[in-house]
C-alpha cells in the first residue's frame, strides 16, 4: 500500500485566509480567518484591504493549522497553494508565502486552481468516482462542471452575470435584511407567500445550461419600490413575501438548469451517476431539497459536502494538491499567481465578474 501524502494547503484568493493539513483524504486541521467584518461597510470585498489582511494573518493561520494537526513542516510531503483565479493581491500573498516555505524546507510546491479545489471536494469527503457533475454555487461562483479527472473539466454552463449568492446578498440589502443575505432571506421566507409577486426566471426558456440572476435582482428592486411608493415602507409580511418569491425564482432556475446539465452528463454514460454541490448557496434548504429530489428522480447520487468544506477553505486546496502529487505533478519556484484561470479553457470565457472577483 502506498503511503498517504500529507500536505499543507494555503488559500487566500478572496476574503478568507485559510490553512489546512490533509493526509490522504483525512483532514487533520482546517483553519479559516474570515474577513467579512473588514469589508462589511463597503458592501463588497475591497481587494487592497483583503491583500493586506492576508499578509497579516497568513503566518498565524499556517502555524495554527500545523499545531492543530500536531505536525511540523518536516512532517509534510509538500505545500499546496491557491495560484488563482482570484483577487491578485490575495493570491500573491499566498503564493509568496508558500514559496518562502518551500525555499526554506526543500518541500515540493504544488499550485492549485481554486475552482479545482471546490470541484474535487466531493472526492475528499465522499470518494466519488469520476466522472461526476458538479454545481458550484456561491457568492462568487456559479457554474456546472463535469469533472472527468483531477485535471480534466468540462464547463457546460454558468451565470452570465451575477452569482446567486451575490443576488441573495443584494436582494437582502434591497429589503433591509442583514448580511449575509442568503440565511436572512431563507429565514424570513419561511413565513412568506412565494406567489404574491410575479418575478422573472431569466434564461429559463432559452436552451442550454447558462443562467442569469441580475434581471431578477432588478425585478426585486422594482417590486420593493412600488410597495414603498404605495405605503411608504415595507411591512414584515412584505419582506417575507418578497423573500419567498425571490428564493422560489432562484430555486426554479437552479433546478431546471441542473436537469438540463444532467442530460448533458448522462450522454457520457457514467457507471455511477453522481451530482455534487458546493458553495455557500448550497446551504439553502429549499435549493438543496429541490436538487436532492431531482437527483432521486434521475437515479443519481446526491453529494453535498459539509458546509465548512463547501465554502472557501484550505483543506480543499491541500487535497487537490495531493491529487496532483499522486500523478507526479508539482511546480517550481517559477509558479505564477493568476487572476483568471479557467478550469476548462475550451469553454467560452464567462462574461460576468462577481462581487468576489473574477469567475474565470
Ligand atoms: O461559498 P461562500 O461562503 O463564499 C463565496 O462566495 O466564495 O458563499 C457565500 C454566499 C453568500 O452570498 C451567502 O449569502 C450565500 O452564500 N449563502 C446562502 C445561504 N447561506 C449562505 N444563500 C442562500 N441560502 C443560504 N442559506
Ligand atoms: Zn470559492
Amino acid at each position: 500500500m502506498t503511503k498517504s501524502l500529507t500536505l499543507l494547503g494555503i488559500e487566500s484568493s478572496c476574503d478568507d485566509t485559510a490553512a489546512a493539513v490533509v493526509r490522504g483524504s483525512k483532514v487533520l486541521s482546517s483553519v479559516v480567518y474570515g474577513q467579512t467584518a473588514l469589508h462589511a461597510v463597503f458592501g463588497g470585498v475591497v481587494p487592497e484591504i483583503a491583500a493586506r489582511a492576508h499578509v497579516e494573518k497568513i503566518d498565524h493561520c499556517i502555524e495554527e493549522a500545523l499545531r492543530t494537526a500536531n505536525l511540523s513542516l518536516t512532517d509534510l510531503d509538500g505545500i499546496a497553494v491557491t495560484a488563482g483565479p482570484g483577487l491578485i493581491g490575495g493570491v500573491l500573498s499566498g503564493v509568496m508565502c508558500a514559496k518562502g516555505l518551500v525555499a526554506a524546507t526543500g518541500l515540493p510546491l504544488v499550485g492549485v486552481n481554486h475552482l479545482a479545489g471546490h470541484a474535487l471536494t466531493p472526492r475528499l469527503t465522499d470518494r466519488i468516482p469520476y466522472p461526476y457533475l458538479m454545481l458550484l454555487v456561491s457568492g462568487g461562483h456559479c457554474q456546472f462542471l463535469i469533472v472527468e479527472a483531477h485535471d480534466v473539466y468540462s464547463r457546460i454552463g454558468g451565470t452570465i452575470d451575477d452569482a446567486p449568492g451575490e443576488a441573495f446578498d443584494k436582494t437582502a440589502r434591497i429589503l433591509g435584511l442583514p448580511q449575509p443575505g442568503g440565511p436572512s432571506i431563507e429565514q424570513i421566507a419561511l413565513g412568506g407567500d412565494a406567489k404574491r409577486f410575479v418575478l422573472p426566471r431569466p434564461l429559463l426558456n432559452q436552451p442550454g445550461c447558462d443562467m442569469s440572476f441580475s434581471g431578477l435582482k432588478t425585478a426585486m428592486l422594482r417590486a420593493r419600490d412600488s410597495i414603498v411608493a404605495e405605503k411608504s415602507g415595507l411591512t414584515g409580511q412584505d419582506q417575507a413575501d418578497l423573500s419567498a418569491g425571490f428564493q422560489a425564482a432562484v430555486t426554479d432556475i437552479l433546478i431546471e438548469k441542473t436537469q438540463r446539465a444532467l442530460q448533458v452528463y448522462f450522454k457520457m454514460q457514467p457507471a455511477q451517476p453522481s451530482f455534487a454541490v458546493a458553495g455557500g448557496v448550497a446551504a439553502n434548504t429549499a435549493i438543496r431539497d429541490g436538487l436532492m429530489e431531482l437527483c432521486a428522480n434521475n437515479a443519481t447520487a446526491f453529494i453535498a459536502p459539509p458546509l465548512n468544506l463547501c465554502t472557501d477553505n484550505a483543506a480543499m486546496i491541500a487535497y487537490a494538491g495531493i491529487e496532483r502529487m499522486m500523478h507526479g505533478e508539482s511546480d517550481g519556484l517559477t509558479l505564477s499567481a493568476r487572476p483568471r484561470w479557467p478550469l476548462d479553457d475550451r469553454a467560452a470565457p464567462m462574461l460576468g465578474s462577481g462581487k468576489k472577483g473574477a469567475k474565470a
Side-chain angles (χ1 to χ4, degrees), residues 11 13-14 114-115 118 136 138 141 310-312 316:
E11 156 63 36
S13 63
C14 186
H114 176 88
L115 300 167
H118 280 302
L136 212 56
S138 70
H141 319 295
C310 268
T311 54
D312 284 353
M316 68 180 191

Side-chain angles (χ1 to χ4, degrees), residues 58 81 89-102 333 335 337:
I58 209 154
V81 63
V91 179
L92 268 171
S93 319
V95 168
M96 295 313 290
C97 175
K99 283 186 182 178
L101 291 173
V102 162
L333 287 171
L335 174 73

